[in-house]
Amino acid sequence: MTRSTQSTNWISYILRSVVLGLLVAALVIWLQPLVADWQLSRQQSSQPMSFAKAVNRAAPAVVNIYSLSEVRGSYYSRRPSTVLRLGSGVIMDNVGHIITAAHVVANVSSIEIALQDGRRTSAQVIGVDPITDLAVLRIELDNLPVIPQDQNLRSSVGDVVLAIGNPLNLGQTITQGIISATGGRMGVINTHADLMQMDAVINEGASGGALVNSEGYLVGINNAQFRGPAGQGVEGIYFAVPYSLTRTIMKTLIEEGEVVRGYLGINTSDTPAAQVYQQPGIFVTAVDPNSPAAEAGLRAEDYIVEIAGQQISSATEGLALISNTAPGTELEIRYLRGNDEITTTVIIRKLRY
């Protein structure tokens, strides 16, 4: 072997070694993030599930509400007595607007707000909407914690939720559950609001508090526990006003002081007429005397299939359409009465609370 051949072999060996070294180095660099992620996932998998991040983000914005109301005297004592009412609320913006349940602050003489940082202050009622059982309060404080919100948030059945409030004045408490229905629960607790159903426990004093997801974002305002015919609470069935509806009602109350809704004057049901008529619609179970519906000739057991040219698929949809119609508007209603199809015109009035 000549000296030149040896030199060539030696150079090739060095080049191969360098290329191999570079390949190994590149492989190590490429694998390093994957190894780090794997190590992190192992560490996380060894940790118990926790919602501490969500609670830390949302809980400071949930306040305790203490309101005083007077109860008229009885036969034994003519002097009125003062009753302390408990509730919770949620700070929605940095100018001091708080959303809560309307029944927490209805017909009260004074309202005191207690923040989680120890501050206490009085509150002013900006507006109340009995239909959704929501009320907006205002406090005058600086550096307020605001509940995390996402206007594009969409909740789904099965989502984990946390209810934050002050039940029985025990102090801020968190209960956990899942969403079992995101809507279609109108009228279940004496309200026409389209409610969200979940099983995170809400006891007295927690009404008006926050329902948040596992990231701490607001998904609803806690309302009440479902009660059976005897007035007894049913375990595991609780309701909240969805965030999207809450935001709309709050904006209207702040800007206009009240929520104006259309009134037709019917009680409704989806069944059993839907099976009889074999098409979606609204079964009228009762008609209010002297209401727009009564003046238009509607009766109990009529089956409404179209309002203002729009086919109605459910009672929820139909009532929402009426509610969003301005008072004074004329609407054409098509309905079935036995084998007859009838069309009438109603003039929508303002819903009185």
Side-chain angles (χ1 to χ4, degrees), residues 267-293:
N267 293 337
T268 67
S269 172
D270 290 323
T271 55
Q275 298 175 353
V276 175
Y277 289 103
Q278 297 183 345
Q279 62 176 306
I282 303 176
F283 182 66
V284 179
T285 58
V287 176
D288 296 343
N290 304 316
S291 66

mmCIF file of all heavy atoms in Angstrom, residues 267-293:
data_model
loop_
_atom_site.group_PDB
_atom_site.id
_atom_site.type_symbol
_atom_site.label_atom_id
_atom_site.label_comp_id
_atom_site.label_asym_id
_atom_site.label_seq_id
_atom_site.Cartn_x
_atom_site.Cartn_y
_atom_site.Cartn_z
ATOM 1 N N ASN A 267 -99.207 28.830 28.516
ATOM 2 C CA ASN A 267 -98.386 27.797 29.143
ATOM 3 C C ASN A 267 -98.222 26.688 28.118
ATOM 4 O O ASN A 267 -99.156 26.376 27.365
ATOM 5 C CB ASN A 267 -99.038 27.267 30.412
ATOM 6 C CG ASN A 267 -99.084 28.308 31.508
ATOM 7 O OD1 ASN A 267 -98.302 29.247 31.521
ATOM 8 N ND2 ASN A 267 -100.031 28.160 32.433
ATOM 9 N N THR A 268 -97.043 26.082 28.090
ATOM 10 C CA THR A 268 -96.738 25.184 26.981
ATOM 11 C C THR A 268 -96.122 23.870 27.422
ATOM 12 O O THR A 268 -95.681 23.708 28.560
ATOM 13 C CB THR A 268 -95.749 25.850 26.010
ATOM 14 O OG1 THR A 268 -94.489 26.011 26.677
ATOM 15 C CG2 THR A 268 -96.257 27.195 25.550
ATOM 16 N N SER A 269 -96.070 22.953 26.462
ATOM 17 C CA SER A 269 -95.399 21.670 26.636
ATOM 18 C C SER A 269 -95.032 21.146 25.250
ATOM 19 O O SER A 269 -95.675 21.494 24.261
ATOM 20 C CB SER A 269 -96.313 20.672 27.355
ATOM 21 O OG SER A 269 -95.739 19.382 27.360
ATOM 22 N N ASP A 270 -93.987 20.328 25.177
ATOM 23 C CA ASP A 270 -93.594 19.721 23.908
ATOM 24 C C ASP A 270 -94.376 18.448 23.619
ATOM 25 O O ASP A 270 -94.509 18.027 22.474
ATOM 26 C CB ASP A 270 -92.093 19.377 23.921
ATOM 27 C CG ASP A 270 -91.238 20.632 23.897
ATOM 28 O OD1 ASP A 270 -91.618 21.591 23.214
ATOM 29 O OD2 ASP A 270 -90.189 20.638 24.563
ATOM 30 N N THR A 271 -94.846 17.794 24.654
ATOM 31 C CA THR A 271 -95.527 16.509 24.491
ATOM 32 C C THR A 271 -96.855 16.558 25.237
ATOM 33 O O THR A 271 -97.046 17.426 26.104
ATOM 34 C CB THR A 271 -94.652 15.375 25.071
ATOM 35 O OG1 THR A 271 -94.337 15.701 26.428
ATOM 36 C CG2 THR A 271 -93.380 15.202 24.275
ATOM 37 N N PRO A 272 -97.800 15.666 24.956
ATOM 38 C CA PRO A 272 -97.698 14.511 24.049
ATOM 39 C C PRO A 272 -98.130 14.808 22.621
ATOM 40 O O PRO A 272 -98.140 13.932 21.768
ATOM 41 C CB PRO A 272 -98.643 13.497 24.684
ATOM 42 C CG PRO A 272 -99.735 14.382 25.241
ATOM 43 C CD PRO A 272 -99.062 15.649 25.715
ATOM 44 N N ALA A 273 -98.514 16.077 22.354
ATOM 45 C CA ALA A 273 -99.113 16.390 21.063
ATOM 46 C C ALA A 273 -98.151 16.188 19.900
ATOM 47 O O ALA A 273 -98.577 15.940 18.778
ATOM 48 C CB ALA A 273 -99.630 17.828 21.069
ATOM 49 N N ALA A 274 -96.860 16.280 20.141
ATOM 50 C CA ALA A 274 -95.890 16.098 19.064
ATOM 51 C C ALA A 274 -96.025 14.720 18.437
ATOM 52 O O ALA A 274 -95.873 14.551 17.216
ATOM 53 C CB ALA A 274 -94.471 16.300 19.590
ATOM 54 N N GLN A 275 -96.343 13.722 19.247
ATOM 55 C CA GLN A 275 -96.534 12.377 18.722
ATOM 56 C C GLN A 275 -97.865 12.264 17.988
ATOM 57 O O GLN A 275 -97.976 11.581 16.972
ATOM 58 C CB GLN A 275 -96.459 11.362 19.858
ATOM 59 C CG GLN A 275 -95.110 11.341 20.570
ATOM 60 C CD GLN A 275 -95.110 10.406 21.757
ATOM 61 O OE1 GLN A 275 -96.141 9.867 22.127
ATOM 62 N NE2 GLN A 275 -93.948 10.210 22.366
ATOM 63 N N VAL A 276 -98.879 12.963 18.477
ATOM 64 C CA VAL A 276 -100.197 12.909 17.853
ATOM 65 C C VAL A 276 -100.169 13.567 16.478
ATOM 66 O O VAL A 276 -100.672 13.021 15.489
ATOM 67 C CB VAL A 276 -101.250 13.580 18.747
ATOM 68 C CG1 VAL A 276 -102.606 13.642 18.043
ATOM 69 C CG2 VAL A 276 -101.356 12.846 20.073
ATOM 70 N N TYR A 277 -99.570 14.769 16.416
ATOM 71 C CA TYR A 277 -99.548 15.517 15.159
ATOM 72 C C TYR A 277 -98.369 15.134 14.262
ATOM 73 O O TYR A 277 -98.292 15.577 13.122
ATOM 74 C CB TYR A 277 -99.509 17.018 15.444
ATOM 75 C CG TYR A 277 -100.813 17.555 16.001
ATOM 76 C CD1 TYR A 277 -100.952 17.840 17.354
ATOM 77 C CD2 TYR A 277 -101.913 17.762 15.168
ATOM 78 C CE1 TYR A 277 -102.149 18.331 17.864
ATOM 79 C CE2 TYR A 277 -103.102 18.251 15.665
ATOM 80 C CZ TYR A 277 -103.214 18.539 17.018
ATOM 81 O OH TYR A 277 -104.399 19.012 17.511
ATOM 82 N N GLN A 278 -97.441 14.381 14.804
ATOM 83 C CA GLN A 278 -96.289 13.874 14.047
ATOM 84 C C GLN A 278 -95.488 14.997 13.390
ATOM 85 O O GLN A 278 -95.011 14.871 12.261
ATOM 86 C CB GLN A 278 -96.750 12.850 12.998
ATOM 87 C CG GLN A 278 -97.376 11.609 13.607
ATOM 88 C CD GLN A 278 -97.763 10.580 12.576
ATOM 89 O OE1 GLN A 278 -97.820 10.860 11.386
ATOM 90 N NE2 GLN A 278 -98.021 9.356 13.030
ATOM 91 N N GLN A 279 -95.351 16.095 14.093
ATOM 92 C CA GLN A 279 -94.490 17.182 13.663
ATOM 93 C C GLN A 279 -94.151 18.028 14.886
ATOM 94 O O GLN A 279 -94.922 18.074 15.842
ATOM 95 C CB GLN A 279 -95.151 18.042 12.584
ATOM 96 C CG GLN A 279 -96.427 18.738 13.022
ATOM 97 C CD GLN A 279 -96.967 19.649 11.938
ATOM 98 O OE1 GLN A 279 -96.271 20.514 11.425
ATOM 99 N NE2 GLN A 279 -98.231 19.432 11.561
ATOM 100 N N PRO A 280 -92.995 18.683 14.890
ATOM 101 C CA PRO A 280 -92.615 19.492 16.051
ATOM 102 C C PRO A 280 -93.510 20.703 16.208
ATOM 103 O O PRO A 280 -94.076 21.209 15.231
ATOM 104 C CB PRO A 280 -91.172 19.888 15.731
ATOM 105 C CG PRO A 280 -91.077 19.822 14.243
ATOM 106 C CD PRO A 280 -91.977 18.697 13.833
ATOM 107 N N GLY A 281 -93.632 21.176 17.439
ATOM 108 C CA GLY A 281 -94.456 22.348 17.704
ATOM 109 C C GLY A 281 -94.603 22.592 19.192
ATOM 110 O O GLY A 281 -93.864 22.037 20.016
ATOM 111 N N ILE A 282 -95.568 23.438 19.556
ATOM 112 C CA ILE A 282 -95.818 23.798 20.952
ATOM 113 C C ILE A 282 -97.246 23.420 21.309
ATOM 114 O O ILE A 282 -98.200 23.915 20.701
ATOM 115 C CB ILE A 282 -95.624 25.308 21.192
ATOM 116 C CG1 ILE A 282 -94.226 25.760 20.781
ATOM 117 C CG2 ILE A 282 -95.878 25.647 22.657
ATOM 118 C CD1 ILE A 282 -94.028 27.255 20.905
ATOM 119 N N PHE A 283 -97.395 22.568 22.296
ATOM 120 C CA PHE A 283 -98.724 22.199 22.789
ATOM 121 C C PHE A 283 -99.131 23.201 23.862
ATOM 122 O O PHE A 283 -98.449 23.368 24.876
ATOM 123 C CB PHE A 283 -98.705 20.784 23.350
ATOM 124 C CG PHE A 283 -100.042 20.314 23.841
ATOM 125 C CD1 PHE A 283 -101.092 20.130 22.958
ATOM 126 C CD2 PHE A 283 -100.255 20.062 25.186
ATOM 127 C CE1 PHE A 283 -102.333 19.686 23.394
ATOM 128 C CE2 PHE A 283 -101.485 19.625 25.639
ATOM 129 C CZ PHE A 283 -102.536 19.435 24.741
ATOM 130 N N VAL A 284 -100.245 23.900 23.647
ATOM 131 C CA VAL A 284 -100.721 24.920 24.584
ATOM 132 C C VAL A 284 -101.518 24.229 25.688
ATOM 133 O O VAL A 284 -102.562 23.618 25.434
ATOM 134 C CB VAL A 284 -101.596 25.964 23.865
ATOM 135 C CG1 VAL A 284 -102.102 27.006 24.867
ATOM 136 C CG2 VAL A 284 -100.809 26.635 22.746
ATOM 137 N N THR A 285 -101.018 24.323 26.912
ATOM 138 C CA THR A 285 -101.707 23.694 28.044
ATOM 139 C C THR A 285 -102.674 24.643 28.742
ATOM 140 O O THR A 285 -103.619 24.207 29.389
ATOM 141 C CB THR A 285 -100.684 23.186 29.073
ATOM 142 O OG1 THR A 285 -99.870 24.286 29.514
ATOM 143 C CG2 THR A 285 -99.786 22.124 28.456
ATOM 144 N N ALA A 286 -102.432 25.963 28.612
ATOM 145 C CA ALA A 286 -103.332 26.954 29.214
ATOM 146 C C ALA A 286 -103.088 28.306 28.556
ATOM 147 O O ALA A 286 -102.001 28.569 28.042
ATOM 148 C CB ALA A 286 -103.114 27.053 30.722
ATOM 149 N N VAL A 287 -104.125 29.163 28.592
ATOM 150 C CA VAL A 287 -104.032 30.512 28.034
ATOM 151 C C VAL A 287 -104.430 31.509 29.117
ATOM 152 O O VAL A 287 -105.489 31.360 29.756
ATOM 153 C CB VAL A 287 -104.941 30.672 26.799
ATOM 154 C CG1 VAL A 287 -104.903 32.110 26.298
ATOM 155 C CG2 VAL A 287 -104.514 29.718 25.695
ATOM 156 N N ASP A 288 -103.591 32.520 29.352
ATOM 157 C CA ASP A 288 -103.905 33.532 30.358
ATOM 158 C C ASP A 288 -105.109 34.360 29.915
ATOM 159 O O ASP A 288 -105.181 34.777 28.746
ATOM 160 C CB ASP A 288 -102.709 34.472 30.566
ATOM 161 C CG ASP A 288 -101.491 33.752 31.120
ATOM 162 O OD1 ASP A 288 -101.654 32.627 31.636
ATOM 163 O OD2 ASP A 288 -100.375 34.307 31.027
ATOM 164 N N PRO A 289 -106.033 34.630 30.828
ATOM 165 C CA PRO A 289 -107.179 35.484 30.478
ATOM 166 C C PRO A 289 -106.717 36.881 30.062
ATOM 167 O O PRO A 289 -105.763 37.426 30.622
ATOM 168 C CB PRO A 289 -107.992 35.532 31.784
ATOM 169 C CG PRO A 289 -107.536 34.337 32.564
ATOM 170 C CD PRO A 289 -106.100 34.132 32.197
ATOM 171 N N ASN A 290 -107.387 37.451 29.082
ATOM 172 C CA ASN A 290 -107.114 38.818 28.600
ATOM 173 C C ASN A 290 -105.686 39.014 28.081
ATOM 174 O O ASN A 290 -105.193 40.132 28.030
ATOM 175 C CB ASN A 290 -107.392 39.844 29.706
ATOM 176 C CG ASN A 290 -108.810 39.750 30.238
ATOM 177 O OD1 ASN A 290 -109.761 39.625 29.462
ATOM 178 N ND2 ASN A 290 -108.960 39.791 31.555
ATOM 179 N N SER A 291 -105.049 37.923 27.716
ATOM 180 C CA SER A 291 -103.685 37.999 27.179
ATOM 181 C C SER A 291 -103.736 38.169 25.661
ATOM 182 O O SER A 291 -104.790 37.984 25.043
ATOM 183 C CB SER A 291 -102.932 36.720 27.523
ATOM 184 O OG SER A 291 -103.514 35.607 26.843
ATOM 185 N N PRO A 292 -102.612 38.507 25.024
ATOM 186 C CA PRO A 292 -102.586 38.559 23.556
ATOM 187 C C PRO A 292 -103.027 37.246 22.919
ATOM 188 O O PRO A 292 -103.720 37.252 21.894
ATOM 189 C CB PRO A 292 -101.111 38.857 23.258
ATOM 190 C CG PRO A 292 -100.634 39.593 24.451
ATOM 191 C CD PRO A 292 -101.346 38.977 25.611
ATOM 192 N N ALA A 293 -102.654 36.124 23.533
ATOM 193 C CA ALA A 293 -103.050 34.824 22.994
ATOM 194 C C ALA A 293 -104.563 34.643 23.053
ATOM 195 O O ALA A 293 -105.195 34.172 22.098
ATOM 196 C CB ALA A 293 -102.344 33.710 23.761
#
